[in-house]
Amino acid sequence: MTNPTVVLVHGAFADATGWIGVISELRSSGIPVIAPSNPLRGLTSDAAYLASILAQVEGPALLVGHSYGGALITVAGVAENVVGLVYVAAYVPHEGETLGELQGGFPESPLTGSLKKWTYPLLDGDFGVEVTIEEAAYPGVFAADVPEEVAGVLAAAQRPLAAAAFTEGAAAAAWRTKPSWALVAGADRAISPEVQRFGAARAGAVVVELPHASHAVILSEPTRVAALIRDAVRATS
């Protein structure tokens, strides 16, 4: 049997290098893996970009989404070659639901009060709004279980997310027809564990919970994250 190609999709305030430990773990098991860069410009356009990558992957693909990346795999995961979805400390929206609506049903996380707004130019000459996490707040909100010096570098190098990503409805919900798995980070201060549990349960996902893991669980617990992905690979091969 042929293993699917694992496609790792990072979320906001980070980049694809956050998957470094997970990639090492998967490759040591002979599992093909890619970690494309996420544009972070909006749910619709980012999902379209991911879909374009999937169209160029030979054979089956297993999508893994961290954080905001979970919303993208939910939409792009309807592609014919996608055999499963793995959510890691992630949003799991329903079709037509915005991330703002999904998160609005639960108490605000510390992330909400720690965002800094920036502007960037749009093609029509206007300006859009994007957000980052205040550098001083980043370690505690995003990476509480990562070494302090590493969290500081992550804060300085974080990539902003266009604010429009929170207001665009998901065009599809691939978990309705594709098997799914979910890792809940129990000490997450960016996407509350309650939001993660709700989305995973609604999707009928196989759930693993790490009670003390922060939002940066892909960096702090790569072995545990990779173990869940391996389970999904075995189930979909």
Side-chain angles (χ1 to χ4, degrees), residues 67-79:
S67 187
Y68 166 67
L72 302 189
I73 71 170
T74 296
V75 177
V78 295

Side-chain angles (χ1 to χ4, degrees), residues 42-233:
L43 180 53
T44 302
S45 62
D46 293 343
Y49 178 76
L50 177 56
S52 75
I53 291 174
L54 292 170
Q56 299 171 75
V57 171
E58 293 186 8
L62 177 73
L63 287 179
V64 182
H66 173 241
S67 187
Y68 166 67
L72 302 189
I73 71 170
T74 296
V75 177
V78 295
E80 187 175 347
N81 64 330
V82 173
V83 295
L85 312 165
V86 181
Y87 295 93
V88 182
Y91 288 118
V92 189
H94 207 309
E95 184 174 357
E97 187 176 50
T98 70
L99 298 185
E101 290 168 344
L102 172 57
Q103 193 154 277
F106 300 86
E108 286 188 351
S109 73
L111 171 69
T112 306
S114 303
L115 294 176
K116 180 178 180 179
K117 292 184 178 180
W118 305 75
T119 59
Y120 66 99
L122 301 173
L123 292 177
D124 62 5
D126 202 353
F127 286 86
V129 176
E130 60 186 11
V131 292
T132 59
I133 301 173
E134 294 280 0
E135 281 202 39
Y138 191 100
V141 170
F142 195 96
D145 55 356
V146 172
E148 184 177 352
E149 63 274 17
V150 175
V153 172
L154 294 175
Q158 64 180 296
R159 292 183 54 211
L161 174 67
F166 293 101
T167 59
E168 297 178 5
W175 49 259
R176 298 177 67 182
T177 57
K178 308 287 176 79
S180 59
W181 291 257
L183 186 149
V184 173
D188 199 326
R189 292 167 59 82
I191 301 177
S192 72
E194 290 83 1
V195 173
Q196 297 174 41
R197 294 185 192 108
F198 171 79
R202 185 169 61 178
V206 176
V207 179
V208 170
E209 182 158 346
L210 301 185
H212 305 294
S214 78
H215 193 62
V217 63
I218 62 174
L219 270 174
S220 63
E221 297 283 355
T223 300
R224 302 291 296 275
V225 174
L228 181 61
I229 297 171
R230 285 193 195 97
D231 288 345
V233 167

